[in-house]
Amino acid sequence: IIALGAFLSSYGEAEFNLYGFVLVMISELCAAVRWIATQMVLHGGKLDSMQAVFYMSPASAMSLVPLVLSMERNKVDAFDTVEAAGQYWMMVLFPGFLAFVLLLVEVQLVKETSSLTLSVFGNLKSIVTVLIAVIVFGERASPVQWLGLCVALSGMFGYSHVKKRKMAVDSLAQLGYEALTDSDSELDAEAASSARDFR
């Protein structure tokens, strides 16, 4: 349902580009592998969210260095002067801090729930981005795109409802709900036996 909503919300956008589509699919695959590995580390080890982010961030940054040097080396020399470098750092400091906080929240979400939950609610970020583009920047959305947003939101709410019910059942199981039922049946059997003895 969420995938259908995302498809409808992007219907009628720019022309399809096979190269861009392949890059997006590779990116999504790599992100899924990363979050599954993060879930395994967080659920199986003793790392907290901050430690996990500190372990992931250097490797992520280093993996981008070869791409930057190969594809954007002509633009790196724009920061030769101290003034240009200072303006650049001031420009990226606050967005970088927001990205760090977002990553920290995502890692904590994976630790508390699962990578699937993060993937589902990651679409909520895309929907909010579209809404901001419409409300703040005056972008136009067709009725089909609005329908796609509503379908995606309904899929997220449905997933949230099912997840809450599953967590409630798991909580009851941890509290010994099944054992309580068994003890009640044992008490009923004892009462019936004593009633027969009384007769």
Side-chain angles (χ1 to χ4, degrees):
I1 293 175
I2 297 172
L4 176 62
F7 171 76
L8 290 175
S9 64
S10 62
Y11 182 77
E13 289 298 318
E15 296 179 5
F16 177 80
N17 185 289
L18 181 60
Y19 179 68
F21 176 77
V22 171
L23 288 179
V24 168
M25 289 296 102
I26 293 173
S27 172
E28 289 295 323
L29 180 63
C30 291
V33 170
R34 182 185 73 156
W35 285 119
I36 290 172
T38 303
Q39 176 183 338
M40 293 172 65
V41 169
L42 289 174
H43 289 185
K46 297 180 179 179
L47 290 178
D48 60 12
S49 302
M50 187 68 75
Q51 288 174 325
V53 170
F54 283 146
Y55 281 125
M56 285 192 301
S57 297
S60 299
M62 292 303 294
S63 67
L64 291 175
V65 170
L67 293 175
V68 170
L69 293 178
S70 63
M71 300 178 68
E72 299 187 4
R73 61 179 178 272
N74 297 330
K75 299 179 181 179
V76 175
D77 58 1
F79 308 114
D80 287 342
T81 63
V82 177
E83 278 187 27
Q87 290 177 356
Y88 172 77
W89 284 111
M90 291 301 294
M91 183 174 61
V92 302
L93 191 61
F94 183 65
F97 173 73
L98 292 180
F100 172 76
V101 173
L102 175 63
L103 179 60
L104 195 61
V105 170
E106 288 177 338
V107 171
Q108 184 65 31
L109 180 63
V110 170
K111 183 176 181 179
E112 297 294 333
T113 57
S114 67
S115 56
L116 177 61
T117 302
L118 175 68
S119 178
V120 168
F121 287 102
N123 292 292
L124 183 61
K125 182 175 63 176
S126 302
I127 291 175
V128 171
T129 303
V130 172
L131 291 177
I132 290 175
V134 171
I135 295 170
V136 177
F137 299 107
E139 295 286 338
R140 293 185 178 180
S142 66
V144 174
Q145 291 172 326
W146 283 112
L147 175 64
L149 291 176
C150 293
V151 169
L153 280 174
S154 65
M156 289 177 207
F157 286 131
Y159 175 82
S160 177
H161 177 70
V162 170
K163 189 77 174 175
K164 281 182 180 178
R165 289 186 61 182
K166 183 179 182 301
M167 288 175 65
V169 170
D170 290 345
S171 298
L172 288 174
Q174 288 179 355
L175 291 173
Y177 179 75
E178 295 176 354
L180 183 63
T181 305
D182 292 337
S183 63
D184 286 346
S185 61
E186 289 174 4
L187 287 174
D188 291 341
E190 289 178 5
S193 174
S194 55
R196 282 195 299 269
D197 293 342
F198 181 76
R199 286 179 190 170

